[in-house]
Amino acid sequence: MRRWLGPLLWAIGLAVALVDIAASWRLQSGVGVFLTDEGGLTERVLTRQLREQGLSGLIFILLGEAGDAPAPQVVEKLRERLAASPLFRLVASGVDSSLLGDIEPLFRYRYLLSDRTANGLFTQQRLTAAFRDLARQLQDPAAFVEETRAAADPTGELRYLLQRWFGGRDDGGGGRWLTADGRAVVVALAAAPAYELDAQQQALATIDETVAALDENVEATVTGAPAIAVATQETIRGEVTRISLYAAAGVVALLLLVLRSPRGLLLTVLPVITAIAAGVLAVLGVFGGIHGITLGFGATLLGIAVDYPLHLLGHGGSAGARRRIAKPLLLGSGSTMLGFAAMALSGIEGLQQLAVFAIAGLAAAVLTTLTVLPALTGDPVAMPWPTSWPTKRLKRAGLWAFVVLAGLLLGGGLWASQRVALEADLTALSPIPPELARADTKVREALGLPQPRHVVLVHGLKREPVLAATERVSTGLDTLARQGALDRHEAVTQFVPSAATQRARQQALPKRATLAARVDTAVAGLPLRTAAFEPFLADVAASRGLAPLAPGDLDGGALGVWLSDLLVQVEGRWVSLLRLGGLRQPQALEALRRQGGPMATVQPLDLRTETETLVARYQASAIRHSLAGAGLIVVLLAFSLRHTVAVGRIVVIMAGGVGAALVALAVSGAQLSLFHLASLLLVAGLALDYGLFTRGGRRGVASTTVCAASTVIAFAALATASTPVLHDIGTTVMTGVIAAWLLAMLATPTRRAS
Amino acid sequence: MVAVVAAADDGSLTLEGLLSRLALDEPAEVVRYRETRRSGLLTQSVVVSGELRLARNGDIRQRWKGDGGPVTVRVVGDDVTVERPQGTKRFRLDQAGSLAPVVEALRAVAAGDMQALKTGFRTRLSGNADRWTLTLSPRQRSSGVGVAGSPSERRQSTKLTLRGRQRLQRLTFESGERTIEIEIVGSAR
């Protein structure tokens, strides 16, 4: 009965883990998780921007083909149908109420939001001109003046604000959005948060179905961060499924050939399943989500967990076998875990995820192999093939071959380490299919949405001084634009100014009697009824008593989304982002630093340079941590084996494997990313296992050979991935494993191998 | 034939019969009109005369001579285009304030589309086949109101009145203190 206790507890644990995973599943795809949360505010803001992929859960639907937008009623039909769905919070096809949400707050606050209020809007001269213009429009049947609104807003302040905010983004008539190449645009915001990919997928499917259900045959291109995230998830799911199938088929064929026992095959799979479940559960538990690359790479990485049962079976599978393999297994897996533990200290969430995944998975695999499998193996499982031929043939090559090969690989590794450049382009880490990223860029360009490379950050502890400094910087940028240093900029205060500015505008509003007298004068001689403009007098008087509007007060509609991206709160600090377009003289921005004042800091940033610097710094940190991990492994080995030659042999095998992997990287032209570093650590871990187990005589050599073959098959499958980083990792690890195995075989201790 | 259908057996007029009578036989019809606008903001009425083309497919074209030269307003679907010698402006029908219900009514009448009329308006028909009055009160619109249409304006009571004999002769739009009266003065041909 005691024999079954382990398997029983294991089965219960696995079932609970799977249920827990299903309940807390959340797949991530942004590249920001590969940046650290440590460091200065700039880094944290950058990280936040990259994590959340800028503006947004906005979905962009482009309708028609270039120069051939569908009829307006078709666009409107689509907008209405989508707006009727509870899946969407916002659907807009132009500057209208669907875009702006409730228009009333904007109308009520028009005099506090308009820069014209304090710039002579209420002078007699301007009022006279405004009323003359209004009279002309009212007499023009084609002007379509809204009379109720005109009575309250004869200067057209709301129209002025909308034109100023969105003027560059519509078709010039305050109507529908069109791209530069003449396609209609509908913008949608799903009701669910952007990171809830299943809900986003449902929203995207609804868009597809609604477009297909339109009577007219309309071409539609859907893009935006949610579309990219969902497509990425699908790509990763597809890749993982395909790679897993290839790898599983290859490894199963190999194991059937070697073990010639379905039961043996089943036993080798159990630790792998347990490892993946434990890895996913641990990452979800610690980080609240798992990145697509962590999952894809991590699952493959845990394919090495198949090595553990193979060693057990290779040694007969019994309790005796467990005793024989326990020490090298614990030493090997412990060392690998130690290496990953060093990686976990890097402060980079993506690497931390990988480390947690690997450590939890490897621990679960070792535990399953040592405590569950021996109870299930029953009769010893034979491993009749291959046992002797590789060893015998390689042994004949002798020690000199080991020395020559090791020398070549170490030399090659040194050469390659000088040639392999660090990957500074963060997007290289992204699993986003390149064609989708390109399509998104084109849409953003067409819509005039910012592609922020250059920004100015204004930050401080209190919102009001930050907004005030933002206004000063914004004024400076206007001056620079007039001098030709840049084309345009976007700042939160262009929409909602600081409270001080709003109060100053209130001060500029004339008193009721003064305004009434000016209106009388303005209307004199025009065919207008003075009394009809009582709503105007009342609204101006009411504006004088309004509490200033805050950016967060405009929550509904796309304007709220826009503003929440331009003014953010990062760990207690208010950060205002001014996005710059068409910057020609970056050095001109330096003068803006003086605009910060005592309560706010102004920082012009080139996001690309900053990001590259950040990535380079994180990679340097990752390399340091990897080297520290390798050092720890050597210390652990020395402590456990207490034999200089044995330790030296294993270190050379590890270094040779890593050297070969580096050569493969250099030859392929790939640049060293954080994932490549993790792969090199994996190669070191595998090489360590090979070195350790080939010390265990004929059975160890045989099981190591099968392990190496299965790993090569798994990573060959990974090398077929279309995601560049997964492909590179497949090639790298495969090469490193072959080299490490060769070295281990060449240097198998004679006495034990015979 | 049309006139016979318009009157019921007892001589009274039905809406269905009226719509059958008013529906265009030709793909399009062009008429001359005179428009009188009265506004709560203006001290005097504005009168313009021009040409109105109404197509069975719902397209509408209005032409008159303005102060700055000829003005053409085209309504195709929900798209409004205003052409002047100074330039062309495009916007959505729901941003053209009073135009939307007038266009909706004219389209329903031109197409003889009872369902469209009933969907968009509450209807009241009075008079007889020789002198009738059709009053249309727009139903509450759930969406599609542009920023140009203020909520207060939307809340105002709006009414359209169509009057005629054998044909439509006069269309009056009333909203708050504003009145637009379009009188058909004859065929343009």
Side-chain angles (χ1 to χ4, degrees), chain A residues 72-73 76 79-80 93-98 100 102-104 107 134-135 138-151 158 162 171-176 178 526-530 532-533, chain B residues 35 37-44 46 48 62 64 71 73 76-80 82 84 89-92 94-99 141 143-154 156 177-178:
Chain A
Q73 56 266 42
E76 187 54 24
R79 192 197 67 76
E80 277 183 4
S93 57
V95 184
D96 58 17
S97 55
S98 64
L100 297 167
D102 186 3
I103 196 86
E104 279 307 284
F107 192 64
L134 178 63
L138 285 167
Q139 294 176 87
D140 177 2
F144 301 109
V145 176
E146 291 289 346
E147 296 191 3
T148 311
R149 176 153 289 170
L158 183 68
L162 297 181
D171 59 2
R176 295 179 322 278
L178 294 172
L526 295 172
L528 293 173
R529 291 179 205 272
T530 313
F533 296 98
Chain B
E35 182 177 320
R37 290 179 166 246
R38 293 180 200 90
S39 158
L41 302 185
L42 289 170
T43 51
Q44 58 200 44
V46 178
V48 290
Q62 206 180 350
W64 71 91
V71 183
V73 176
V76 177
D78 289 339
D79 208 18
V80 182
V82 178
R84 299 175 197 266
K89 196 175 171 190
R90 290 175 65 193
F91 47 90
R92 271 196 337 219
D94 59 19
Q95 295 189 311
S98 57
L99 189 61
R141 303 295 299 271
S143 63
V145 177
V147 290
S150 71
S152 52
E153 184 136 348
R154 275 177 260 156
Q156 283 181 345
E177 291 185 51
R178 182 166 43 154

Side-chain angles (χ1 to χ4, degrees), chain A residues 11-79:
Chain A
I12 292 170
L14 186 63
V16 170
L18 291 177
V19 170
D20 210 5
I21 287 169
S24 55
W25 180 253
R26 201 188 124 204
L27 190 66
Q28 305 164 328
S29 61
V31 294
V33 294
F34 299 103
L35 296 179
T36 178
D37 274 334
E38 295 164 357
L41 180 84
T42 317
E43 296 172 12
R44 288 202 296 274
V45 171
L46 278 178
T47 307
R48 182 185 181 280
Q49 288 287 102
L50 290 161
R51 273 191 188 150
E52 297 177 8
Q53 300 190 333
L55 260 186
S56 119
L58 290 180
I59 301 168
F60 302 105
I61 309 160
L62 268 67
L63 296 168
E65 292 168 15
D68 186 21
Q73 56 266 42
V74 177
V75 179
E76 187 54 24
K77 200 189 289 178
L78 175 68
R79 192 197 67 76

Side-chain angles (χ1 to χ4, degrees), chain B:
Chain B
M1 176 68 185
V2 169
V4 173
V5 174
D9 290 345
D10 62 356
S12 64
L13 185 69
T14 64
L15 182 59
E16 195 176 12
L18 178 64
L19 282 182
S20 298
R21 185 199 299 181
L22 298 178
L24 295 180
D25 293 330
E26 308 278 319
E29 189 175 0
V30 186
V31 294
R32 285 183 290 113
Y33 75 94
R34 182 169 57 238
E35 182 177 320
T36 307
R37 290 179 166 246
R38 293 180 200 90
S39 158
L41 302 185
L42 289 170
T43 51
Q44 58 200 44
S45 308
V46 178
V47 181
V48 290
S49 296
E51 190 182 280
L52 177 69
R53 182 183 185 276
L54 191 60
R56 211 160 45 192
N57 67 1
D59 291 355
I60 296 172
R61 190 191 67 204
Q62 206 180 350
R63 274 185 186 153
W64 71 91
K65 187 155 172 32
D67 290 342
V71 183
T72 305
V73 176
R74 291 176 204 277
V75 188
V76 177
D78 289 339
D79 208 18
V80 182
T81 311
V82 178
E83 295 164 13
R84 299 175 197 266
Q86 298 85 349
T88 300
K89 196 175 171 190
R90 290 175 65 193
F91 47 90
R92 271 196 337 219
L93 181 58
D94 59 19
Q95 295 189 311
S98 57
L99 189 61
V102 176
V103 165
E104 201 171 340
L106 284 177
R107 281 176 173 166
V109 168
D113 189 339
M114 173 83 127
Q115 196 186 349
L117 201 67
K118 289 276 188 187
T119 307
F121 304 92
R122 286 189 300 279
T123 60
R124 189 162 59 83
L125 181 62
S126 59
N128 55 44
D130 290 331
R131 187 184 284 268
W132 51 266
T133 301
L134 174 61
T135 308
L136 305 173
S137 307
R139 294 183 192 276
Q140 195 66 33
R141 303 295 299 271
S142 57
S143 63
V145 177
V147 290
S150 71
S152 52
E153 184 136 348
R154 275 177 260 156
R155 282 193 295 272
Q156 283 181 345
S157 69
T158 299
K159 191 173 75 175
L160 275 157
T161 310
L162 283 71
R163 292 188 180 87
R165 292 171 183 262
Q166 288 302 310
R167 305 170 67 88
L168 173 66
Q169 291 182 323
R170 193 183 296 261
L171 184 152
T172 311
F173 170 83
E174 294 166 272
S175 177
E177 291 185 51
R178 182 166 43 154
T179 308
I180 301 170
E181 197 169 87
I182 298 172
E183 188 184 355
I184 311 295
V185 292
S187 170
R189 273 171 261 169

